[in-house]
Amino acid sequence: MSTAAGPPAGSPVAVVGAGPVGLTAALVLARAGVPVTVLESRPELSAASRASTFHPATLDLLDELGVAEPLHRAGREVARIQWRDLDGQVHAELDYRLLAGRTGHPYRLHVEQSRLTPLLLAALEATGRAEVRFAAAVTGVRQDADGVRLTTAFGPDSAGERQESRHAWVIAADGSHSTVREAAGLPSTAREYPHFALRVVTRTPLDRLVPDLAPLSYVRDARQSYSVLGMPDHWRLIFRVPATDSRERAVEPAAVRDRLAAALPGVGARVEVADAHTYRLAAFVLPRYRAGRLLFAGDAAHLTSTAGGMNMNCGLHDAVAVGRALAALLSGRAGEADLDAAVEERRTVAETSVIPRSEARTAGLDGGDALRRALDGIRRTAADPGAATDYLVKASLLDCAPLPLPGSAVRQAVR
């Protein structure tokens, strides 16, 4: 099904995947005057509960695309990061206001990624340069020096009509199990972490049960460590569980209740569990983000630990950088060397900044000396405004994200 009148199949660029990364890349291209086709295997936009953190650098870029303000209205603004223990002692806090002057959005926003995708889709439709097709699964990829031929199966379960389309370039934003990546014969082996994540969702207002609980809190205690995220209409508690434990057992109601009793002493029994589920934790970076006329972004190109909420943000930054570089190439303002430099920079960011920073967020989870060192370190950081600002800059990816374009309202506000 096409959601918007636009160019016929065969537009210069096809984007595979209508998640946040794919729609962002398509919107950047369409706003630059490039006709684009988006192919999504699902019958509609995903409503799955997945990423939920938008960092200041990402909000700056989304502002440039015109969707940051409505996303903000749907979300919860987070002004501080808190470290605390099970007894209620707050070890340290960092205030996002330290980033004022470096970003148009000196805060973190908690909101489901499923609230962003409809905004991106509406903005994309409004350009008049896009065709978005759902229930359109790419089943074949062939390329030569001049372009890429995609075979797409339409309809539920890819059981409908098959069509071929030819495009000068294809951006693969089709997730960690990327069909395009597999068709290109590129490696996809992820490094599994020795833990999986257990996410417990509750609509009980935890900040009413736990005095001074911030909507972004890291509970670090030798008895139990976990992370807490306050969303607009619910709270999430994220635990790291050894991979040797049973994932099925971890989500059993009795096991969840026992874990909450330990995590929230004295009040855990008052927390109503709306959902509990697990997900794997792994790291992966594609050795190169370009294979001929194929470009990779988001989970098709990299995975990180969810700690710090960096992976989706990194993917959105990929989308902006790749979209801009490809638009410049197609307009004749840049060459393929510039495109190569842009995608290599994004790969380097994932490998040398995003993954190490995400992994560093789990320091001290196993208790002992590592916990003491981690808490001592964050106390020293919080006591030093310069160190605290540097921490927030890196946690927000402000030092390695694409800059807002010259002339944009955000660029003018922070430069």
Side-chain angles (χ1 to χ4, degrees):
M1 176 181 73
S2 172
T3 67
S11 56
V13 181
V15 175
V16 183
V21 174
L23 290 175
T24 297
L27 182 55
V28 170
L29 287 160
R31 287 272 180 85
V34 178
V36 60
T37 299
V38 179
L39 301 169
E40 169 55 53
S41 61
R42 295 184 180 91
E44 58 189 4
L45 293 175
S46 173
S49 175
R50 299 185 66 187
S52 59
T53 294
F54 292 85
H55 289 302
T58 307
L59 294 170
D60 287 348
L61 296 172
L62 293 178
D63 199 4
E64 183 180 300
L65 295 173
V67 297
E69 184 176 345
L71 185 67
H72 184 275
R73 291 197 295 268
R76 179 171 187 168
E77 187 175 308
V78 177
R80 57 188 171 131
I81 309 177
Q82 182 182 90
W83 285 261
R84 59 188 297 139
D85 64 21
L86 293 180
D87 297 322
Q89 180 183 356
V90 174
H91 294 288
E93 286 193 344
L94 297 181
D95 192 326
Y96 274 98
R97 287 177 296 182
L98 289 169
L99 297 179
R102 296 171 179 263
T103 169
H105 303 84
Y107 52 83
R108 172 167 154 162
L109 189 69
H110 286 176
V111 60
E112 299 270 10
Q113 72 174 47
S114 59
R115 301 300 294 268
L116 173 63
T117 47
L119 300 174
L120 292 170
L121 180 59
L124 183 59
E125 290 174 334
T127 67
R129 299 188 183 95
E131 180 185 39
V132 183
R133 305 197 70 180
F134 290 99
V138 172
T139 60
V141 180
R142 289 179 293 159
Q143 65 170 319
D144 54 36
D146 299 318
V148 184
R149 186 176 297 276
L150 297 179
T151 302
T152 305
F154 295 92
D157 302 317
S158 305
E161 176 188 3
R162 276 175 162 71
Q163 293 180 4
E164 286 195 348
S165 59
R166 187 172 181 82
H167 310 271
W169 296 89
V170 170
I171 298 177
D174 52 343
S176 59
H177 301 290
S178 171
T179 299
V180 177
R181 188 182 63 211
E182 182 179 352
L186 297 177
S188 59
T189 302
R191 170 171 57 91
E192 296 277 352
Y193 289 109
H195 297 80
F196 61 85
L198 167 66
R199 180 160 58 195
V200 179
V201 177
T202 179
R203 299 194 184 282
T204 302
L206 295 184
D207 49 350
R208 296 182 187 175
L209 296 180
V210 181
D212 197 37
L213 180 69
L216 174 55
S217 294
Y218 297 116
V219 178
R220 296 293 181 260
D221 195 293
R223 294 163 289 178
Q224 175 74 76
S225 290
Y226 60 98
S227 302
V228 183
L229 279 72
M231 302 297 294
D233 61 353
H234 68 272
W235 287 76
R236 297 178 175 185
L237 298 89
I238 299 104
F239 301 90
R240 293 290 190 272
V241 182
T244 53
D245 287 7
S246 165
R247 292 178 65 169
E248 291 77 13
R249 165 65 180 155
V251 297
E252 290 178 358
V256 173
R257 296 241 54 95
D258 288 345
R259 196 176 296 274
L260 288 177
L264 298 163
V267 299
R270 297 163 59 185
V271 175
E272 297 183 5
V273 178
D275 183 38
H277 56 269
T278 64
Y279 52 92
R280 73 167 185 159
L281 299 171
F284 160 71
V285 181
L286 200 61
R288 60 186 188 280
Y289 284 12
R290 177 185 175 188
R293 295 283 181 138
L294 304 175
L295 304 169
F296 296 85
D299 285 0
H302 54 76
L303 288 174
T304 73
S305 161
T306 57
M310 297 183 187
N311 196 63
M312 180 191 65
N313 287 266
C314 181
L316 292 172
H317 301 174
D318 295 343
V320 170
V322 172
R324 287 176 180 174
L326 190 52
L329 173 65
L330 291 169
S331 69
R333 294 181 287 111
E336 289 197 26
D338 300 294
L339 176 63
D340 288 337
V343 296
E344 177 59 21
E345 180 180 10
R346 294 309 310 161
R347 192 199 68 79
T348 300
V349 164
E351 186 173 59
T352 65
S353 296
V354 175
I355 290 179
R357 292 175 191 180
S358 183
E359 291 177 346
R361 297 296 174 266
T362 65
L365 282 179
D366 295 327
D369 289 340
L371 173 61
R372 286 189 289 274
R373 288 195 299 271
L375 289 177
D376 287 345
I378 198 61
R379 289 190 195 100
R380 287 194 298 271
T381 296
D384 180 341
T389 301
D390 183 66
Y391 181 101
L392 290 170
V393 164
K394 291 177 178 176
S396 303
L397 304 179
L398 279 164
D399 60 329
C400 56
L403 288 172
L405 289 173
S408 72
V410 173
R411 182 70 172 264
Q412 293 170 355
V414 301
R415 294 295 175 226

